[in-house]
Structures are given as structure tokens and as C-alpha cells.
Amino acid sequence: MKRRAFITLSISAAALLLTGCGTNSNSGNGDSGTTDTSGESGNNTAGSPLPVPELLRGTVRSGVRHFDLSIQEATHSFFPQKTTATYAINSTYLGPTLLLTDGEEVSINYTNRLPEATTMHGHGMHLPANMDGGPHQIITPGQTWSARYRVKQKACTNWYHPHLMGKTAEHVYKGLAGLIIVEESESSTLDLPDRYGIDDIPLVLQDRRFDANAQIDYSPTRMEIMRGYIGDTFITNGAIEPFVELEAKEIRFRILNGSNASVYELGFSDNRTFAQIATDNALLEAPVDLARVRLSPGERAEIVVDLTQAKGKTLQLRDFRKNKTFLELRVTKDAAVQTALPQNLTTLEKFDPATAQTTRRFTLSGRMGTLMINGVTMDMNVINERVPLDQVEIWEVENSMGIEHNFHIHATHFMIVERNGSSANIADNEKGYKDTIYLAPRDKVKLIVKMVDYKDPSSPYMYHCHFLEHEDAGMMGQFVTV
């Protein structure tokens, strides 16, 4: 019935897209003018309209679709009459959403206009190791580095962010992150909301601390490095607890937990159910009805909430761990078009654990302020694992600590075989393609993994905890494909 378009926009949505996240000029807490946001009542949840990141389609040059991105210093208005120094990409906070298509060759060109080196990693993208944008692909000030590859994956919502050794957490905290939407022919035929910024809405959820001068405060103590640096101010797409005006219909949210170390338990203030339709790297085979969805740092979820009968109502998207609001939803408009959520979304290729040729074990641990995987900290000069191409493997990951972690593998997806010793412990909304998995204290998971397409015995990929302070403190390793 449908062709994925991302082009039918209302006048108001088009205006927001043109400005993107960067030019939000009044993202603060109403008329209070204060940066004391430690309490729930500290911010006006109706403070400003939700900024929608600009959607970039790129420019085709010599058969390659190019995306030209500037990594830069900026100032951003989180609070009325105050400006905050930030890092950003083509904007004043965060970066544009990149629209990629399966099968197309792309070149994402990052020019570093910062006064320091950085990198830019395509989180969730299936690409060659030397195009991964990890710690080895350093972009020095004034340099342009290009991630060039052919898109080879199912429809999904990914993201890009810095990955400089020891500086990832700080650079992301200052504002360097953006979304990547991958589209392909199968998903384009589904009757899903697809009007970007209208009924298909990206949400980058973060928490931040600000000092008395409204400046971003990234100053973790040794304990906060171990526990993760948690902010007291909730930010959505670069705005503090904004609102969005919606049509009375099915609305799709593409949600990224873009925080450094917070785990969110997301749901709506009226406890209405919604359907999760996608995990990190693909659509689920069928929608999963939920009242809450848990996302740890780096994880994504696409959800569809039915607001057809909610005209005139207001509700909030909240984190029920902290009981704080990320976004106010105002259902003020009649639907321009209606959609009907399909009950069959895709078919996922699955590997039989009995065919696994190798089992690898990874233990997340810490001692005396040091964070480790398998008893060692990250060393740029050490290859920890050599993974044969096209080999089905089991990766067992154990959190041996009394604090939360997660585990991310670069350039591939995996599926969960067991959680804490049983397949019965795998939630229905985890039965899809993942690249990041949450691990509660003492949790143990078994993953099935297969590296394909790209063999490179000299350029490594990463695996690591995606709590960014943990990653920077050494909870990361390297593997090559052979």
C-alpha cells in the first residue's frame, strides 16, 4: 500500500526540521530562569516544542551518497536567556538524522572543527573495521575522515557518536550524537507511520547536569566513574522536557537511550499500552504489547502508540525509575492519514545454537577502581579475540559485579539464546536483532553471533560495556575477523 517517503510534512513540522536540534532557542524550565533542576517540579514540562533533528538524505556524487558533517563547538539554549557551551554536529546540540538505504554506497564525511581530536562511530552499522569509527580512526583538528561502505542491513534505527579512547563519555556528554535510519524494500511496504517529524518521531533521551552558570557539568568522581555519571535534568532531542503536538492516530517513536549511564524504564503517564515493533538492528517479527520498555545506554526501541481515541488529551512519556518526564504529548490534531499496525513485520534469520563452533566467555569485573573484561583492561595494542568470518559462535557474557552494565558488539547483530540459564527468561521484546544488551547485577546472558562480509586481521572492532564511564575506564576489548 505504501512507499517509504519521509517527505509529507506539515508546515510546522517542516519548520522544525529546517532548524533541527541546534536552533532550539527556549528549551528550559518555563519562566523560572533557574538551572536548579534536581526536583521534578524544577522544570516546566510544557516549556518548549520538541526539536526534531534535521533529516539528511545526502548528495549523490559519482554514484556515492555523501553526507557532509561538521563536528564543531557551539552554544545552545537549554534555559531561557542563558547559553551553554556545547559540542555539536551541523547544529548547536546533537546532529542531524541520516537516512540510509540498504544496498546503497555511502560516504559519511566528518570534518573535525573542534580544538581536540575525536572519532565518530556508526553504532549498529554493519561495515568494515577500518570504517567503524572506533578508537583507531582518530580525526585530528582540521581533518576530514570518511566512513565509506555499502549499506547491508535490514531497516533499523542506529546512531553515531564519538569513540575516542578515554574521551567517549565526555564528548557524548557535550552533545556529540545523532541518529541513523536505515530503510529497505521490505519495510517500505508496511503500513507503519512514516512521516518524519509528524507521526514517525525520533527521540534522543539523555540526562545532564548543569552548573550554576547553565554550563554542562561533566566532572565525575572516582565513585561516579564506577557507578556511571547520572544527570538530574532530563533532555529530549536537546530540549528540557518539551512538548509535541500530535495527530489522533498511531504514532511511531524511534527511541535512543543516549545517556552516559542511566537505565530508563519508559512508559506513558496514563499507563496505556503500546507496541514495540523494533529492537536495535531490525523490526521484530511481530509487535509486542508493553506498558514499560527498559533501555540501557546505547539501546534503541521503536514503538507505536495508538492515540486514535485520544484527541484533546495530554499525557507524558516518563522514566518510571526516577518518576520524571521526558516529553509531553498533546493530541491536538485530526489525523491527515491513518495507519493500521501490521501483525507480521518481518522474518528474521536465526542460527541454531547446536551449529556453534566456538563458545567465548566474557566476564565484566572491577577491582580497586579498575574496570575489566576477562581480568584485563582495554589496551589499544592488544587484540583480545580473533573471530573467524562466517562462523556461528556463542558468546557468554557475565556481569560479576553488584552494579549494572551492558554489552555492545561492533558491526554486527546478535540474538539472545539464554538469560540467566534459560531461554524462558528472554522477554518477547528481546527476541530480535540486538547489538547492545542490558545486564543487571550478577546477570549472565548467552548470545549467538556470526561475523559476515568483512575480513580484516589488522583492523579491530570493539566489544565493551556501553555505560560510557565504564568503557573509558577500561571495560572494553578488541577483536579482528580472520
Side-chain angles (χ1 to χ4, degrees):
M1 166 184 166
K2 298 177 65 181
R3 177 177 62 89
R4 180 73 58 190
F6 285 125
I7 57 174
T8 308
L9 301 176
S10 69
I11 294 174
S12 59
L16 280 172
L17 290 178
L18 289 172
T19 59
C21 289
T23 56
N24 177 41
S25 62
N26 182 15
S27 301
N29 43 339
D31 58 2
S32 67
T34 177
T35 62
D36 179 8
T37 59
S38 58
E40 173 62 19
S41 61
N43 296 309
N44 179 357
T45 60
S48 61
L50 174 73
V52 178
E54 180 185 6
L55 185 69
L56 287 190
R57 299 173 181 277
T59 302
V60 177
R61 301 195 289 266
S62 302
V64 177
R65 188 168 297 275
H66 287 261
F67 297 83
D68 299 317
L69 301 178
S70 173
I71 308 169
Q72 59 202 28
E73 294 181 289
T75 58
H76 185 70
S77 296
F78 290 102
F79 304 96
Q81 290 80 52
K82 296 177 183 291
T83 57
T84 302
T86 59
Y87 283 179
I89 304 151
N90 286 24
S91 69
T92 62
Y93 188 79
L94 299 178
T97 298
L98 312 183
L99 182 61
L100 310 186
T101 302
D102 180 50
E104 191 168 43
E105 188 171 354
V106 300
S107 181
I108 305 176
N109 312 311
Y110 299 100
T111 299
N112 181 8
R113 294 188 169 90
L114 301 176
E116 61 176 318
T118 191
T119 74
M120 204 58 70
H121 164 57
H123 182 129
M125 296 306 299
H126 177 56
L127 37 59
N130 63 350
M131 298 289 110
D132 188 47
H136 293 274
Q137 287 83 50
I138 297 173
I139 315 171
T140 58
Q143 180 188 10
T144 297
W145 175 79
S146 297
R148 181 166 175 169
Y149 54 92
R150 188 170 298 279
V151 182
K152 295 182 179 181
Q153 58 195 111
K154 293 176 75 69
C156 57
T157 301
N158 293 331
W159 63 306
Y160 57 97
H161 64 79
H163 214 299
L164 186 66
M165 183 72 178
K167 296 282 283 186
T168 299
E170 181 182 350
H171 285 184
V172 172
Y173 207 82
K174 288 182 175 181
L176 294 182
L179 291 175
I180 300 172
I181 294 175
V182 178
E183 284 298 309
E184 40 86 17
S185 57
E186 179 188 47
S187 67
S188 298
T189 65
L190 297 173
D191 194 20
L192 293 171
D194 65 357
R195 294 174 296 156
Y196 183 81
I198 300 174
D199 61 8
D200 185 349
I201 300 174
L203 300 178
V204 180
L205 307 184
Q206 300 173 310
D207 50 72
R208 293 291 182 264
R209 296 185 197 177
F210 295 90
D211 65 19
N213 297 314
Q215 301 306 301
I216 292 172
D217 176 10
Y218 187 72
S219 56
T221 64
R222 186 169 179 175
M223 180 60 72
E224 287 170 331
I225 290 173
M226 292 296 290
R227 294 282 177 178
Y229 197 65
I230 308 297
D232 54 20
T233 302
F234 274 18
I235 295 173
T236 304
N237 293 357
I240 297 174
E241 301 180 25
F243 69 87
V244 60
E245 295 193 4
L246 299 169
E247 296 178 6
K249 66 175 302 294
E250 292 179 337
I251 302 295
R252 178 185 193 172
F253 291 110
R254 300 174 184 263
I255 306 175
L256 163 68
N257 182 341
S259 73
N260 278 34
S262 293
V263 178
Y264 301 133
E265 298 277 353
L266 300 170
F268 294 101
S269 54
D270 60 358
N271 290 313
R272 69 175 57 226
T273 59
F274 52 88
Q276 183 171 346
I277 63 168
T279 51
D280 297 333
N281 286 123
L283 293 168
L284 290 160
E285 291 191 317
V288 176
D289 290 335
L290 302 168
R292 302 282 187 273
V293 61
R294 180 189 63 220
L295 291 179
S296 65
E299 287 188 288
R300 288 88 68 207
E302 294 183 32
I303 69 171
V304 173
V305 57
D306 188 355
L307 301 177
T308 305
Q309 304 300 320
K311 178 78 180 292
K313 293 184 178 180
T314 297
L315 59 153
Q316 291 80 37
L317 176 67
R318 299 179 65 83
D319 169 34
F320 284 85
R321 281 195 168 196
K322 290 188 177 179
N323 198 30
K324 286 174 66 71
T325 294
F326 271 113
L327 176 66
E328 182 170 280
L329 285 62
R330 301 176 181 176
V331 188
T332 61
K333 307 174 185 178
D334 292 326
V337 295
Q338 290 288 359
T339 53
L341 180 63
Q343 292 309 297
N344 296 296
L345 298 171
T346 191
T347 299
L348 300 176
E349 182 183 14
K350 303 179 181 70
F351 303 119
D352 184 350
T355 66
Q357 296 174 263
T358 300
T359 296
R360 301 178 192 270
R361 294 177 175 85
F362 303 87
T363 300
L364 312 184
S365 64
R367 183 180 67 249
M368 301 291 291
T370 300
L371 292 165
M372 301 170 285
I373 299 178
N374 291 344
V376 296
T377 61
M378 169 67 177
D379 186 333
M380 291 272 284
N381 298 311
V382 173
I383 302 300
N384 304 94
E385 304 285 340
R386 287 171 171 80
V387 179
L389 205 66
D390 297 319
Q391 177 172 285
V392 177
E393 299 191 349
I394 298 295
W395 287 27
E396 294 182 355
V397 186
E398 180 180 2
N399 177 7
S400 69
M401 302 180 70
I403 60 176
E404 294 174 305
H405 290 295
N406 65 13
F407 192 78
H408 169 52
I409 308 175
H410 282 210
T412 192
H413 63 257
F414 53 77
M415 296 190 80
I416 308 170
V417 177
E418 292 179 2
R419 186 181 278 278
N420 296 323
S422 174
S423 60
N425 294 327
I426 305 171
D428 287 342
N429 66 320
E430 287 189 317
K431 295 177 181 177
Y433 287 174
K434 298 279 293 168
D435 61 51
T436 307
I437 185 168
Y438 170 75
L439 291 154
R442 314 298 177 188
D443 260 8
K444 186 175 183 179
V445 294
K446 186 180 290 187
L447 315 174
I448 193 162
V449 182
K450 183 181 180 182
M451 298 300 298
V452 298
D453 292 326
Y454 304 114
K455 180 186 293 187
D456 189 338
S458 59
S459 298
Y461 295 113
M462 306 293 131
Y463 55 85
H464 57 88
C465 178
H466 214 284
F467 287 57
L468 298 183
E469 284 74 33
H470 297 174
E471 172 188 329
D472 281 348
M475 193 171 273
M476 180 161 62
Q478 304 189 105
F479 71 99
V480 293
T481 50
V482 295

